[in-house]
Amino acid sequence: MWKRIGALVRKEFVQLRRDRRTLAMMILLPILWLVAFGYAVNFDVPHLKVFVVDRADNGDSRDVIDRIDRHDSLEVVGSGSEEDAVDRIKDGTADVILVFPEAFEFPAKDEDSQLKIQVDGSRLFTAQSAVRELNDVLKDLQKDSIRDIKEELEKTFEKSREDSLSLSLSGDSPPSNLPPQAAESLWKQIESRVKSALEERMEERKDELEKQLPDPEASMPDVDVLYNADLKSVHYMIPGLVGLVLIFITTLMTALGVVREKERGTLEQLIVSPLRPFELMLGKVLPYMIIATLDFAIVFAAGVYWFDVPFRGDLFSFILVALLFLFSSLGMGLLVSTVSQNQQQAMQLAVMTLVPQILLSGFIFPLEAMPWGIRWIAYVLPLSYFLPISRDVFLKGMSAWDYPLEFAVLAFFGVFFLLVATIRFRRSLT
């Protein structure tokens, strides 16, 4: 049996080698995706252009503008009126507008003195990056402002304490009829008591006022980002790209490969050969499985070693769940081929199964953000169950065994699709 299957596999590789366009698409397309999703598909905007509307034109507004202009990701590209700012947003020469009201002060005491930020909502990720970067700048300024206020209070209290001491000591004097030694001793006692009382009262007052001021460190949240500390988009995209490559190669190429035999009339020659239907099906899918495994290894290695995406989980269980996902994708490709009469139909049906998996599986958009009327579609797509395993194994150090439900669903998909495809394939041969 294995000799017959091996001969069919060799025949498939010879046919693929002659069909250079298909072979190039199978090998080069994952590499192009890797480059695109690793570099181009990046939600982090590194350079943001800021336009300023400064009605206050005071020291506080100039400090904020200067701090923003010195930020690595922000650049002040101009200033003017609100009409000018809106025009700059419309023509794309500015990403964010800062409006300083006439009564602006930092930190703001009320709405009249509050800084206004305007961003272009039609450019969602640019707007999110702009708000995030500006918040970082304003948080640093707030910390510096609170620290300056505390230092100024300390200086004021120190000066008040010294003035109070000098006034209290100069206003009292011992009785004139005391001997000089007794008068000097009494004077020192008075001085010591007054000094101690004033210092105690001033320290109590200082502590009360300091408690009313927020601590510059404690006033800011202590943000600790787990598993992706730098919030890099590539760490989010590459683990998902592993599944996308597997399902694309196996589904599309398998569907086209089987239908191609029908168009060329070589399927009838295979039917009259000693090959059994199961052997014929296995021999047809094994080459695509080998190529998909090669593409999987390329994307995995490039993600870990080229894009520095950490892989912290269990490699053995991850390979096993990837094989289960591969089988389900092969089954989908075979199923598409059994209901298609030509390559054009197979291409159309394969795309119809691939596009929802790209858009609705959570590869780009989170499932939690989708309404229930759409989300249920994602739960019948194999990629929706492979993606959370892949990302958590890569970034969280999890094992595929920690996801028994997803593991079982992928196994079910693999058995179901291959079984249905086998039944339909065997009927088409008879």
Side-chain angles (χ1 to χ4, degrees):
M1 181 183 77
W2 290 110
K3 288 184 179 180
R4 295 193 296 269
I5 295 176
L8 183 58
V9 169
R10 287 194 296 273
K11 173 255 181 191
E12 288 294 320
F13 276 116
V14 171
Q15 189 172 349
L16 281 173
R17 187 181 62 184
R18 292 174 179 174
D19 189 359
R20 295 183 178 180
R21 288 179 297 179
T22 301
L23 184 61
M25 184 169 61
M26 296 176 67
I27 299 298
L28 296 179
L29 192 60
I31 298 176
L32 293 176
W33 278 0
L34 186 67
V35 173
F37 286 101
Y39 289 108
V41 183
N42 191 339
F43 302 136
D44 306 320
V45 182
H47 183 74
L48 298 163
K49 294 166 287 188
V50 181
F51 191 87
V52 175
V53 179
D54 189 3
R55 297 176 185 167
D57 194 20
N58 55 24
D60 287 349
S61 65
R62 287 190 289 271
D63 287 343
V64 173
I65 295 171
D66 181 65
R67 184 69 67 94
I68 289 173
D69 203 26
R70 287 190 281 115
H71 193 275
D72 294 336
S73 302
L74 301 171
E75 179 189 3
V76 177
V77 295
S79 61
S81 64
E82 288 194 53
E83 291 77 12
D84 296 333
V86 173
D87 291 338
R88 297 291 292 270
I89 285 286
K90 284 183 178 179
D91 61 24
T93 57
D95 301 313
V96 58
I97 301 172
L98 293 184
V99 180
F100 296 90
E102 294 180 0
F104 174 77
E105 58 179 333
F106 193 86
K109 301 297 188 299
D110 50 39
E111 292 185 359
D112 294 335
S113 60
Q114 190 175 20
L115 174 66
K116 305 296 190 300
I117 300 175
Q118 299 176 353
V119 294
D120 183 4
S122 64
R123 302 162 64 193
L124 178 61
F125 298 114
T126 300
Q128 290 177 341
S129 297
V131 172
R132 182 175 61 249
E133 297 295 341
L134 286 173
N135 279 335
D136 289 340
V137 173
L138 295 177
K139 286 176 183 178
D140 291 339
L141 280 169
Q142 184 182 17
K143 290 168 66 175
D144 293 344
S145 178
I146 294 174
R147 189 177 294 110
D148 292 341
I149 292 173
K150 290 188 68 174
E151 291 177 356
E152 187 65 28
L153 276 176
E154 290 177 358
K155 293 179 181 178
T156 302
F157 275 109
E158 184 65 27
K159 187 176 184 303
S160 299
R161 187 173 64 87
E162 293 175 356
D163 293 343
S164 299
L165 280 173
S166 62
L167 289 173
S168 62
L169 294 178
S170 62
D172 295 329
S173 59
S176 58
N177 57 353
L178 290 177
Q181 293 182 350
E184 183 179 357
S185 176
L186 182 58
W187 176 258
K188 289 182 178 180
Q189 292 178 12
I190 293 173
E191 180 182 358
S192 178
R193 290 176 182 176
V194 170
K195 184 177 180 180
S196 299
L198 284 174
E199 286 183 348
E200 184 177 352
R201 293 179 62 183
M202 294 297 291
E203 288 296 330
E204 290 177 357
R205 183 59 178 162
K206 178 183 175 183
D207 292 340
E208 290 176 2
L209 289 176
E210 284 189 348
K211 288 178 181 179
Q212 297 176 7
L213 286 175
D215 183 12
E217 299 295 334
S219 63
M220 308 307 299
D222 183 13
V223 180
D224 187 13
V225 180
L226 302 177
Y227 311 122
N228 187 8
D230 297 328
L231 294 176
K232 292 183 177 179
S233 298
V234 68
H235 289 184
Y236 178 81
M237 301 300 294
I238 294 298
L241 188 61
V242 172
L244 189 62
V245 166
L246 286 178
I247 198 168
F248 182 86
I249 295 298
T250 52
T251 301
L252 185 60
M253 296 297 104
T254 304
L256 292 177
V258 175
V259 175
R260 190 183 301 114
E261 297 283 358
K262 293 181 181 180
E263 287 187 337
R264 295 178 178 177
T266 56
L267 190 60
E268 287 78 5
Q269 299 177 9
L270 294 175
I271 293 174
V272 298
S273 68
L275 290 167
R276 300 173 183 175
F278 172 76
E279 296 172 354
L280 178 57
M281 184 192 69
L282 188 61
K284 293 293 294 182
V285 301
L286 273 179
Y288 301 102
M289 183 175 178
I290 294 172
I291 294 176
T293 304
L294 177 62
D295 289 331
F296 165 78
I298 292 174
V299 175
F300 180 86
V304 173
Y305 297 106
W306 183 263
F307 292 101
D308 293 326
V309 179
F311 184 83
R312 302 187 177 104
D314 179 20
L315 181 60
F316 174 76
S317 65
F318 181 65
I319 293 176
L320 184 60
V321 78
L323 289 175
L324 284 177
F325 178 66
L326 183 61
F327 282 130
S328 64
S329 303
L330 286 169
M332 290 180 64
L334 283 175
L335 188 58
V336 168
S337 69
T338 59
V339 298
S340 303
Q341 300 300 320
N342 51 56
Q343 293 189 63
Q344 183 178 3
Q345 289 184 5
M347 175 74 77
Q348 292 173 347
L349 290 175
V351 170
M352 287 179 62
T353 64
L354 290 172
V355 171
Q357 301 206 66
I358 296 173
L359 298 178
L360 304 179
S361 64
F363 174 67
I364 299 176
F365 311 107
L367 288 176
E368 297 79 7
M370 300 178 188
W372 274 105
I374 300 297
R375 197 186 308 177
W376 70 269
I377 302 176
Y379 294 136
V380 296
L381 304 175
L383 190 58
S384 301
Y385 298 91
F386 179 76
L387 284 182
I389 299 178
S390 179
R391 284 171 176 154
D392 288 353
V393 170
F394 261 88
L395 302 178
K396 295 183 180 180
M398 306 286 285
S399 169
W401 306 117
D402 296 323
Y403 298 86
L405 176 61
E406 288 80 359
F407 208 101
V409 172
L410 286 175
F412 168 77
F413 278 139
V415 173
F416 175 76
F417 286 130
L418 283 175
L419 181 61
V420 175
T422 302
I423 294 174
R424 291 192 57 88
F425 192 66
R426 293 177 69 176
R427 287 179 180 175
S428 66
L429 294 180
T430 58

